[in-house]
Amino acid sequence: MPKFHNRAAILAMLTLVYVFNFIDRQIIGVLTPFIQADLGVSDAQMGLLSGAMFALFYTVIGIPVASLADLTKTIRVGSFSLRLDRVTIIAISLATWSVFTLLTGFAGGFVALALLRVGVAIGEAGCSPPSHSLISDLYTPRERGRALSIYSLGIPFGVMIAYFAGAFFVSGGTVDWRTAYIAVGLPGVVIAIVVKVFMPEPERGKSDGAATPPLPFKQALGKLAVIRSYWTMALGIAFASFGSYAVNAFLTKHAVNTYPDFPLTQLLVFLGIGNAIFYAAGTYLGGAVADRFGQKNVAAYASVPALTTALAAVCLIFAVSTNHLVVFLALICSYIFFLGFYLGPSFSVAQNLAGVSVRATSTAVFFFVLNLIALGGGPTVVGGLSTWFAGMTGDPVAGLRYALMSLALPYVISVVMFSLTARTLPADWARAQSDPDIA
C-alpha cells in the first residue's frame, strides 16, 4: 500500500492519534458524577482511577516502550516476525487503549473499572514518546515548538470530544456513560489500522543532518542526567499538569454541583467548545510565541510558560470560588487559554536538549516525571482532599471547591521551576547544539 510522505500529513495523523489518546484518558473525568451515581464510587476512588492507578502503569510501561522506539527491534516467533518501529508501536498502542476503553462500558464496579483503566494506561504509554521522536525527525530545532504545539492540540480537541460524547448521551438529567465509552473506544481501532498501513517511518535525525545510532536506555539516561534545564523544565510541566489533570477529573462534578439548574447538555457542550477554542488557541500560541521570541533568546521557551501558568492559576482560583455562572464560565475559559501555553515549549525543550539517539527516551523520561507527579498526584490528591473536606464541613460541594482551590500550591511550584529553567536554558541549549549527536 502507498504511504503518505508529506510531513504535514504525518503530523496531522499523529495529532489525530493524540486526540483519541485524550478522549479515552479524560472521558472518565467528564463522566465522573454519572459513574458515581450508577456504581456508588467515592471521590477518593475516582481520583485513584483517574490518577495514581492510571499513572503507575502509564509511567512504568512508558520507559521500556520508549527504549524500543529508540532502538527499533524485530520480534520473531517461529515463522512470524514483527518489526517494532515507531509507527508500529503507535498503532499497537492505539488499538490496545481503544479496546480497553470500549470494554469499560461493560464494567460492573470499582474493581472492574480499575482493571480496565490499567489496560488503557498500558496502551497509552506507547503514544507520545515515539510520536515526539517522529516529529523531531521531520522538523528542525527552531520549528519544533510550533510542530509539537500542533501535536499537543490533541489534548484540547480530545477533551472537547469527550465532553461532546457526554452531552450526546444525556438522557433524563443524567448521561448514559456506558454507551459513551463504547462510542469513543470503537473508532480508535479503525484509526490504528490506518496508521499502520499508511504512515511511513522517517529517517532518524533527518532534520538535524545527523544519523547517530540509537543508544540503550542506560546510556541514554546518562546523557540526559547532566542537563539541568531538562529536569527543571520537566518539573515545571509536571506541577502545571498536576493542576490540569485534577481539574479535568473533577470540573464536571464541580459545575454540576454548583449550578444544578443549568441544563446539563448545554454545560457539557460549553465546556467542550471552551476547550476546542481557548485551550487549542493557547496551545498553538504557546509554541508559536516561544519559537518567535526564542529566535532572539531561547530562555523564552521557559519564561513564556512561567508567565502564562501564573495567569492560569489566578483564573482557576477565582473560577472555583464564585457562585456566579457567567463569571465562572468566563474565568474557566481564561484558565484553559493560559494553561495551554506551556505544552509546546516544554516538549520542544525536551527534544532540543536531547540527542537524536535518545529522543523517544527523552520524551518517556519527561513523561515519567510529568505523569508520576501530575497524573498520579493531581486527581488522587484532589479526590482525597474533596472527601476529607466534605467530612469536615458536612458539605460535599464545599469539600470539592476547597480541594480545587488547593491547586494554587502546585501552580506556584510550576512557575518557580519554569523561572529557574529560563536562567539555565541558554547555556544548556548552546551546549546541546554543539554536540555532534544533535546537529
Side-chain angles (χ1 to χ4, degrees):
M1 294 290 291
K3 296 181 182 288
F4 49 82
H5 291 273
N6 180 280
R7 69 176 187 173
I10 296 172
L11 177 58
M13 180 58 71
L14 291 172
T15 303
L16 178 61
V17 173
Y18 204 38
V19 167
F20 277 90
N21 182 287
F22 261 80
I23 294 172
D24 295 356
R25 187 184 309 184
Q26 296 300 330
I27 194 166
I28 190 170
V30 175
L31 301 176
T32 284
F34 316 109
I35 295 172
Q36 288 180 305
D38 186 19
L39 301 181
V41 182
S42 70
D43 279 359
Q45 288 175 314
M46 292 303 297
L48 282 171
L49 290 174
S50 301
M53 194 170 293
F54 185 96
L56 175 63
F57 288 89
Y58 183 92
T59 54
V60 170
I61 298 297
I63 297 295
V65 168
S67 184
L68 281 174
D70 271 336
L71 295 173
T72 305
K73 295 184 178 181
T74 300
I75 295 178
R76 290 183 174 86
V77 180
S79 60
F80 173 80
S81 66
L82 177 65
R83 178 180 168 82
L84 285 177
D85 56 23
R86 291 170 292 182
V87 171
T88 302
I89 290 171
I90 293 168
I92 292 173
S93 298
L94 172 55
T96 300
W97 85 63
S98 298
V99 168
F100 278 104
T101 297
L102 186 156
L103 292 174
T104 303
F106 300 94
F110 175 75
V111 174
L113 281 173
L115 292 174
L116 291 164
R117 285 293 288 174
V118 167
V120 174
I122 291 172
E124 292 194 358
C127 178
S128 284
S131 295
H132 282 211
S133 178
L134 282 169
I135 292 168
S136 293
D137 284 337
L138 298 171
Y139 292 86
T140 65
R142 298 287 184 174
E143 298 174 312
R144 283 177 197 146
R146 187 171 301 186
L148 287 165
S149 286
I150 292 172
Y151 172 77
S152 298
L153 290 175
I155 299 175
F157 286 115
V159 175
M160 175 196 73
I161 295 173
Y163 275 114
F164 283 1
F168 186 81
F169 293 105
V170 169
S171 177
T174 187
V175 173
D176 181 357
W177 65 272
R178 296 183 183 278
T179 305
Y181 260 108
I182 295 169
V184 300
L186 190 59
V189 179
V190 178
I191 300 298
I193 297 171
V194 173
V195 168
K196 178 56 183 173
V197 172
F198 292 105
M199 186 181 293
E201 175 77 13
E203 177 188 349
R204 293 184 188 272
K206 179 181 179 181
S207 64
D208 299 284
T212 307
L215 292 177
F217 174 73
K218 187 175 180 179
Q219 291 176 257
L221 186 59
K223 289 182 70 69
L224 298 172
V226 297
I227 308 173
R228 182 178 174 184
S229 299
Y230 176 90
W231 297 102
T232 52
M233 198 73 176
L235 290 171
I237 189 175
F239 281 101
S241 297
F242 184 104
S244 175
Y245 281 121
V247 171
N248 283 338
F250 290 103
L251 182 62
T252 301
K253 182 171 185 179
H254 170 77
V256 169
N257 286 346
T258 308
Y259 310 102
D261 296 330
F262 191 66
L264 180 58
T265 300
Q266 292 181 34
L267 174 65
L268 295 175
V269 169
F270 184 91
L271 292 175
I273 293 174
N275 274 278
I277 296 175
F278 295 99
Y279 201 179
T283 298
Y284 177 78
L285 286 173
V289 170
D291 275 348
R292 179 174 181 179
F293 286 101
Q295 298 290 335
K296 295 182 179 180
N297 186 350
V298 296
Y301 286 93
S303 57
V304 168
L307 174 62
T308 53
T309 300
L311 292 171
V314 172
C315 292
L316 174 66
I317 300 308
F318 281 107
V320 299
S321 300
T322 184
N323 286 312
H324 194 287
L325 178 62
V326 174
V327 174
F328 167 76
L329 294 176
L331 287 170
I332 282 296
C333 287
S334 300
Y335 162 75
I336 290 170
F337 173 73
F338 288 121
L339 191 69
F341 272 73
Y342 73 82
L343 293 168
S346 298
F347 295 140
S348 179
V349 166
Q351 291 295 292
N352 287 329
L353 295 183
V356 174
S357 60
V358 298
R359 281 195 176 139
T361 300
S362 170
T363 300
V365 173
F366 214 64
F367 272 77
F368 181 88
V369 176
L370 189 166
N371 288 307
L372 198 63
I373 293 172
L375 189 53
T380 306
V381 170
V382 168
L385 285 176
S386 176
T387 299
W388 185 64
F389 281 129
M392 286 184 60
T393 61
D395 182 355
V397 177
L400 182 55
R401 173 174 290 168
Y402 295 148
L404 289 169
M405 290 176 67
S406 72
L407 293 172
L409 178 58
Y411 278 125
V412 168
I413 297 173
S414 173
V415 171
V416 170
M417 290 296 109
F418 283 137
S419 300
L420 290 174
T421 305
R423 298 177 60 183
T424 59
L425 184 58
D428 285 339
W429 186 291
R431 191 178 303 111
Q433 299 307 300
S434 67
D435 188 330
D437 184 33
I438 300 293

